[in-house]
Amino acid sequence: MFILNLHFKLNNDQTNDLKQMVSDQECGPSDSSTELTDDLEEDLCKVWDMAMDKDVAIFLQEFKAPDILLGVIAKSHNPRLTEICVGILGNMACFHDTCVSLSQNSDLGAVLLLLLGDNDPPTLLETCRLLLTCLSQADVAPVWLERIRQQSAVCSSLCFIMSSSTNVDLLLKVGELLDKLFDEDEELMKSWVSTSHSGTDLQTDNQPDILSSLLEAAKQLRSESPEALEVYLHSLQLLTTVEEGMQALVSDESCGSAVWTFVCELLCEDFCQPDDPPLILQEQKALLAPALALLSALHSSLHTHISAELLGSLIRILQFNAENHQSHTAGNSEESHRDDDEQLKALVETTAEFLSDVLLELQKDVLLSVVRSGHLSEKSCVSAVGCLLPQHTAAVQHLVSLLSDVNPILADIIKKDFSISSNESS
């Protein structure tokens, strides 16, 4: 009965061209703006909550509620009303059958993508949540991906939100949406980064590119939300897996150097600090994995300087891993950490590979600074070398060669413990 009442209140002038109606709103508010009374808001919020129930969602679908809500969204100039209507649709989309039905509505698809250009954070949050929910359904995701490919304004809208918003919840949801798009559609990712980088269509003086937008959002979230920061680090890391992304990151016009500096600061100042317990590695591994993969990819292309602090952080990660392994073994708790093994193993492998590359290029003055600053003790050095061998023997040999001049005692310990030859072909 409530939906029927809602129909009479808000849907007395249906149109066949909903997309045009939404576009017409850019000319300014019209006299037909729907007033949201307290009673109506309360009733709508009840429907919003109830739509999380599968049976209610199916009932709403059968009663053509999505068409009614779409009409309301298309004509509404009331941000709260729009937010609630999109939120109801978002809850309905949590169930497979209703999600499929909603996804088949091309008018709804067009309106939702246009709503990404809205300036109301709650509406943007609910819109992104609805899109992310639909993209998470494998059988309808291709429909949404195709719509997004055809609507170039989506990239501009997401970039604007990331570069200008301070709303943590919104930035998290936008980041999750973008990360999902990049993960599902590599060609879309290539297109967006290429177009942004070329300065055509999507990018204007007031529309930052995808890379700088991701970086700006990550900076905003650094101290606010580790969960959201992880999403943005992963998206940046995904860009390094395609040629177009690497070209944009290392070009003179891009913010690749700024990305390098920011992620180095995270690693050296925020993650796995000297006074942290080794178990912090388990807590921060989801952040560390994309951060280190990103730095590793950028290092060789940008010819970046490796600071003593960064080298110390890489060594510390391997030390913490070794200490955790020893603790787990002593406590016979491998079984309880089995689920963590794959992610942690990937993190350690990435760290070891990056450290190997760094060591092969290491200069004596940098190593001297690392030793003097306390970043390379006997314990940390033995732990790091243990992780590097046998895959990265050449890197260890170069380290031992430098240590022979910088710290001969430590060099002898490494030679003895790991049977490392004193000869190196450098």
Side-chain angles (χ1 to χ4, degrees), residues 69-81:
L69 294 172
L70 177 56
V72 175
I73 294 169
K75 293 182 290 183
S76 171
H77 295 289
N78 186 308
R80 176 60 172 164
L81 177 60

Side-chain angles (χ1 to χ4, degrees), residues 138-407:
D139 47 353
V140 300
V143 175
W144 288 98
L145 290 170
E146 181 60 28
R147 288 171 180 160
I148 292 169
R149 288 190 209 103
Q150 295 176 0
Q151 180 55 266
S152 61
V154 171
C155 182
S156 297
S157 297
L158 295 180
C159 285
F160 181 77
I161 296 170
M162 290 187 290
S163 61
S164 61
S165 178
T166 59
N167 186 309
V168 174
D169 291 335
L170 177 58
L171 287 175
L172 170 59
K173 198 57 63 177
V174 169
E176 290 175 339
L177 176 59
L178 189 68
D179 194 56
K180 184 67 174 178
L181 290 171
F182 283 2
D183 202 38
E184 292 288 330
D185 193 336
E186 185 176 289
E187 292 304 314
L188 178 68
M189 176 172 63
K190 292 179 180 179
S191 173
W192 280 10
V193 73
S194 297
T195 307
S196 292
H197 174 58
S198 66
T200 60
D201 292 339
L202 298 182
Q203 186 181 3
T204 68
D205 292 340
N206 296 320
Q207 294 288 351
D209 63 81
I210 195 76
L211 287 172
S212 62
S213 300
L214 285 166
L215 177 59
E216 186 62 32
K219 289 179 177 180
Q220 176 69 34
L221 295 164
R222 178 178 178 177
S223 60
E224 299 289 339
S225 172
E227 178 188 5
L229 178 60
E230 175 193 338
V231 172
Y232 281 90
L233 289 175
H234 184 256
S235 293
L236 285 166
Q237 186 264 322
L238 280 177
L239 290 173
T240 67
T241 64
V242 296
E243 182 180 354
E244 292 82 355
M246 284 303 301
Q247 287 177 349
L249 279 164
V250 303
S251 69
D252 292 338
E253 296 81 17
S254 79
C255 58
S257 295
V259 171
W260 169 269
T261 300
F262 172 69
V263 180
C264 282
E265 289 177 357
L266 291 176
L267 198 62
C268 298
E269 300 174 12
D270 297 358
F271 303 155
C272 286
Q273 295 302 289
D275 55 350
D276 285 334
L279 281 174
I280 196 71
L281 196 62
Q282 290 287 342
E283 179 182 331
Q284 296 180 346
K285 62 187 176 183
L287 283 160
L288 286 165
L292 285 165
L294 181 57
L295 289 179
S296 181
L298 288 174
H299 172 58
S300 60
S301 299
L302 288 174
H303 306 292
T304 49
H305 169 70
I306 301 297
S307 66
E309 291 76 16
L310 177 57
L311 181 56
S313 293
L314 297 177
I315 293 170
R316 191 179 308 114
I317 290 171
L318 297 182
Q319 177 188 347
F320 281 2
N321 176 69
E323 292 182 15
N324 284 334
H325 180 72
Q326 292 173 358
S327 175
H328 297 161
T329 301
N332 194 29
S333 60
E334 292 92 344
E335 185 69 23
S336 63
H337 291 271
R338 179 171 295 177
D339 291 340
D340 295 332
D341 287 348
E342 287 305 315
Q343 188 175 23
L344 190 60
K345 180 181 178 181
L347 169 60
V348 171
E349 289 177 352
T350 300
T351 306
E353 290 174 4
F354 185 22
L355 179 59
S356 174
D357 292 339
V358 170
L359 291 178
L360 288 171
E361 302 171 1
L362 189 62
Q363 300 297 314
K364 187 182 299 183
D365 59 335
V366 177
L367 180 59
L368 183 60
S369 176
V370 172
V371 172
R372 287 177 173 174
S373 61
H375 292 307
L376 188 67
S377 63
E378 176 183 340
K379 184 177 183 179
S380 64
C381 188
V382 169
S383 298
V385 170
C387 289
L388 289 169
L389 293 174
Q391 291 90 346
H392 306 288
T393 302
V396 174
Q397 288 178 334
H398 183 60
L399 173 63
V400 171
S401 176
L402 295 178
L403 280 174
S404 297
D405 293 330
V406 174
N407 190 330

